[in-house]
Amino acid sequence: SPRALHDLTAKEWAALVTEIESFPALSRRRTFHLAYEHRLLVQSLDAISVRNQHPAPPVVNPRFQSVYCIDAREESFRRHLEEQQSGMQTFSAAGFFGVAMYFRGIADAHFSAQCPVVVRPKHWVIEDMAFPFEEAHQFRSRSRRALGIAAHQIHLDSRSLGPGAVLSAGLGTLASIPLVMRILFPELTAKVRRAFGKFVEPPMMTHLRLERTLPTAGPQEGQVGFSVDEMADLSERLLRDIGLTSGFARLIFFIGHGSACQNNPHKSTYDCGACTGNSGGPNGRVLAAMLNHPKVRNILVTRGLALTDETRFIGGLHNTCDDTVMFYDLDQLPKTHFEDFEAARRTFDVACHRNSHERCRRFYSAPLDLTPEAAHRHVKDRSEDLAQTRPEFGNASNALCIVGRRSRSIGLYLDRRCFLQSYDPTQDDEDYSILDRILAAVVPVCTGISMQYYLSAVDTQGWGSGTKLPHNVTSLLGVMDGAASDLRCGLPAQSTEIHEPVRLLFVLETTPEGILRIMDRNPTIGRILGNGWGQLAVLDPHSDRIQVYVNGKFRPYEQTITDLPKAISSLEWYRGWRAHLPFAIIDPGAMPSRK
């Protein structure tokens, strides 16, 4: 207080000034930020500890099972699926689902890499048109090419002196009509655009060129695809990695994710980070096709995976912007599974509406009293709105990554803040080879995403890219401000404004000896976790004991609470709130607790 300062002696004043000068602004900011991170670490580990003191009952005879990307946006989607019925199982893996490939879709001019950026694919896959639609496809392909050539020529002429003046005067007014319509009436304009687009878009009935006929892989005829043994190896590895080796449901979905939105130079940041910023739908489709292959299934049965004809796999794509799910190759689904699929599709539809509702609480343009149906319409409008700078927030607010069995985290409301990777330590070997494989993808991918948000949030203009409003794509290399600036790095402010910049906390269901052994033999994992780019804790596979990695050693974690707040559903917990929420237990039979 001023009175206390007035009464200080000269010696006490000297001591005070020395303390202030020895603790400058940068050191204070670092100390406060470490405390800020520690607070979230305590909240996260307390929640996991309490959850594991009251374990969830195992799921027996699930109606269907589904596998998703580890993306933090899928945490809420999986939670809304699981809240609908207890007989459902969800799993997760890095969104390329272990299938590293170059993929060319039916309307693509070039192959794109569908794997983490550090992986170089050795296989190529092509999407082909089904034979009955080949003639229609050729006509529409020629139409798309003619329109593309015309648009490109107009683009070139508009930048020349004479033709540019004529085109600007003649087409400028006409071009303003769809521009205004897309801003004022995005939903109506989207319907009109889709109606006209049907004249040039490829027919829906396609198939994958998946099985290779020549011994070597490549992009040429006969080299495209995988051998049967390669398909079996990839399929087995993915199933064993996520712990799905028995108790197969009649329907199992592999759902990749992508984001479809208008006028967004940063769109790739909303797509799958494990697929080099592309949509993960092709990977889910390819893996499902592999697992439906009769020869592959026969090999897997000999390797101890009891797949029967009752189990069918379906690939899909979750559009995280408008919350819709699209399914592939339904023409190959047996009639015996139609009823099961329709029941699953209804469950997915409900989850899409509920997930939209939870997302809308973070959008200030969305009222807090929206119904789930109205929220779904709202996110669809955002995805089509030409003027919308925030079609979605992507992985903003990511803060932790749990690698373990879903039973260790199911029922926890994690506020879309958690990457989730399925792993069953009881099925791993003594050398932790499955966990090593998983972390080889999960640690660099998740840390890369986390640090991208972290650095862009703490320095929006320097490490981030400022506001996205003036950004233009330049030479397909990056974005710059308007017509002249350096290429901007990092994320725009519109992607990070709700993000809390903290280092990612990895919670691994393993032993300290296991992760230390992996860090020793994998230099990338060792550098990231050992040098503090991410925080690390381990959850004992056989108890609720947690240990935290600090300065090269593991120390027991002492939980600070004995119980968590409870809610009967996710909606009841987040209803009426826009900011980050504390973690809670979702239990339909619980007495609700106050936030």
Side-chain angles (χ1 to χ4, degrees):
S1 65
R3 179 69 182 180
L5 291 174
H6 181 269
D7 293 340
L8 292 179
T9 65
K11 184 176 181 181
E12 291 170 334
W13 267 108
L16 177 60
V17 171
T18 300
E19 287 293 326
I20 293 173
E21 291 179 346
S22 64
F23 195 35
L26 188 61
S27 297
R28 288 199 301 274
R29 288 164 58 189
R30 181 176 185 275
T31 299
F32 281 127
H33 196 86
L34 290 174
Y36 182 63
E37 286 186 329
H38 183 72
R39 171 179 172 271
L40 186 59
L41 179 144
V42 169
Q43 290 178 333
S44 303
L45 298 186
D46 279 351
I48 295 171
S49 295
V50 172
R51 167 74 278 182
N52 283 277
Q53 288 166 4
H54 306 88
V59 177
V60 181
N61 298 324
R63 290 187 60 190
F64 72 87
Q65 295 160 319
S66 49
V67 186
Y68 303 87
C69 181
I70 59 180
D71 194 280
R73 288 168 289 182
E74 303 293 19
E75 182 273 324
S76 60
F77 191 80
R78 294 174 63 186
R79 175 163 32 86
H80 288 297
L81 278 172
E82 293 161 345
E83 286 181 28
Q84 293 183 60
Q85 52 179 306
S86 58
M88 185 183 311
Q89 273 187 307
T90 67
F91 300 84
S92 53
F96 73 115
F97 297 127
V99 182
M101 63 179 178
Y102 292 110
F103 180 80
R104 192 181 73 198
I106 193 66
D108 295 337
H110 308 285
F111 287 95
S112 60
Q114 297 285 143
C115 57
V117 68
V118 296
V119 177
R120 186 179 181 87
K122 298 179 181 178
H123 298 87
W124 286 256
V125 175
I126 294 176
E127 181 186 22
D128 283 331
M129 185 57 57
F131 179 75
F133 299 92
E134 185 63 33
E135 185 175 348
H137 170 58
Q138 292 297 332
F139 172 77
R140 296 182 183 186
S141 179
R142 289 193 296 269
S143 300
R144 287 197 306 274
R145 178 173 175 79
L147 288 173
I149 292 173
H152 181 64
Q153 190 60 46
I154 291 174
H155 173 80
L156 295 178
D157 290 343
S158 67
R159 281 152 176 76
S160 60
L161 182 59
V166 174
L167 289 171
S168 297
L171 299 180
T173 304
L174 294 177
S176 66
I177 296 175
L179 178 67
V180 173
M181 289 287 291
R182 289 168 69 181
I183 294 174
L184 299 180
F185 309 103
E187 185 176 7
L188 175 62
T189 308
K191 291 180 179 179
V192 173
R193 190 180 70 252
R194 283 194 291 267
F196 280 100
K198 290 181 180 179
F199 292 102
V200 295
E201 69 181 10
M204 294 297 293
M205 195 68 70
T206 64
H207 65 265
L208 298 173
R209 204 184 304 176
L210 189 62
E211 186 174 349
R212 194 172 70 238
T213 57
L214 296 178
T216 58
Q220 306 303 321
E221 189 68 31
Q223 296 179 312
V224 172
F226 302 80
S227 68
V228 172
D229 288 337
E230 289 170 339
M231 288 191 280
D233 291 341
L234 291 172
S235 301
E236 179 188 14
R237 173 172 292 188
L238 190 281
L239 293 177
R240 293 197 182 280
D241 282 356
I242 65 176
L244 181 55
T245 56
S246 61
F248 297 103
R250 281 171 56 84
L251 282 181
I252 301 178
F253 296 86
F254 286 96
I255 309 294
H257 70 94
S259 178
C261 52
Q262 294 294 322
N263 190 35
N264 194 344
H266 295 270
K267 179 186 177 301
S268 63
T269 64
Y270 296 140
D271 283 333
C272 185
C275 296
T276 319
N278 297 310
S279 163
N283 298 73
R285 183 184 184 184
V286 167
L287 185 61
M290 289 179 177
L291 284 161
N292 286 328
H293 196 296
K295 294 180 181 178
V296 172
R297 295 167 80 101
N298 291 336
I299 294 175
L300 294 180
V301 169
T302 64
R303 297 179 182 181
L305 297 175
L307 286 170
T308 67
D309 291 337
E310 286 291 301
T311 298
R312 303 296 296 182
F313 296 85
I314 299 176
L317 172 66
H318 176 208
N319 185 336
T320 58
C321 193
D322 69 5
D323 265 319
T324 56
V325 178
M326 179 176 67
F327 304 98
Y328 300 107
D329 300 325
L330 294 180
D331 58 302
Q332 301 177 28
L333 187 68
K335 289 185 178 181
T336 54
H337 289 62
F338 283 6
E339 185 177 348
D340 298 286
F341 174 75
E342 287 301 329
R345 177 149 59 183
R346 289 192 294 271
T347 305
F348 278 114
D349 288 342
V350 173
C352 287
H353 284 73
R354 294 184 180 182
N355 199 52
S356 301
H357 192 264
E358 180 170 345
R359 289 174 53 208
C360 280
R361 77 181 189 87
R362 306 309 298 263
F363 299 135
Y364 281 94
S365 60
L368 286 172
D369 58 353
L370 285 175
T371 64
E373 292 73 22
H376 198 223
R377 290 194 297 271
H378 180 84
V379 297
K380 283 190 172 183
D381 286 347
R382 297 181 79 92
S383 70
E384 297 289 351
D385 189 351
L386 188 67
Q388 182 55 254
T389 59
R390 300 169 183 83
E392 64 164 300
F393 281 121
N395 275 301
S397 75
N398 72 85
L400 65 154
C401 175
I402 298 177
V403 179
R405 289 168 287 185
R406 179 58 173 158
S407 60
R408 309 303 297 266
S409 60
I410 193 170
L412 272 179
Y413 179 84
L414 295 172
D415 203 20
R416 294 169 58 88
R417 311 199 67 180
C418 184
F419 298 104
L420 292 170
Q421 165 70 49
S422 296
Y423 164 67
D424 188 346
T426 64
Q427 298 188 31
D428 209 347
D429 55 32
E430 295 182 355
D431 206 30
Y432 304 94
S433 58
I434 293 179
L435 183 60
D436 195 348
R437 268 200 315 268
I438 288 174
L439 296 184
V442 168
V443 169
V445 168
C446 292
T447 306
I449 294 172
S450 172
M451 294 308 298
Q452 186 180 35
Y453 280 91
Y454 180 108
L455 297 172
S456 298
V458 298
D459 186 358
T460 306
Q461 292 298 329
W463 289 328
S465 57
T467 176
K468 69 160 66 169
L469 298 181
H471 288 176
N472 287 321
V473 176
T474 305
S475 301
L476 300 181
L477 293 175
V479 298
M480 67 182 186
D481 294 332
S485 81
D486 291 336
L487 290 178
R488 302 305 305 266
C489 62
L491 297 173
Q494 288 82 0
S495 294
T496 60
E497 57 195 7
I498 68 169
H499 185 67
E500 290 187 329
V502 295
R503 289 173 298 162
L504 193 66
L505 169 63
F506 287 91
V507 182
L508 314 179
E509 188 181 2
T510 187
T511 62
E513 296 76 21
I515 184 58
L516 289 175
R517 189 182 302 179
I518 292 172
M519 290 168 64
D520 284 339
R521 65 177 179 239
N522 190 314
T524 300
I525 298 174
R527 286 195 298 268
I528 291 174
L529 299 180
N531 293 339
W533 291 99
Q535 302 180 89
L536 174 62
V538 294
L539 172 63
D540 186 81
H542 307 293
S543 70
D544 60 349
R545 185 186 181 206
I546 294 178
Q547 299 182 66
V548 182
Y549 186 70
V550 181
N551 296 328
K553 296 182 179 179
F554 280 95
R555 300 177 181 176
Y557 176 74
E558 301 290 338
Q559 68 184 75
T560 63
I561 60 174
T562 57
D563 200 6
L564 279 176
K566 297 180 177 62
I568 60 175
S569 69
S570 294
L571 187 150
E572 291 301 322
W573 181 245
Y574 67 72
R575 186 195 297 273
W577 293 80
R578 291 205 187 274
H580 295 300
L581 288 174
F583 302 143
I585 290 179
I586 305 300
D587 182 359
M591 291 293 293
S593 307
R594 294 180 62 87
K595 295 183 183 65

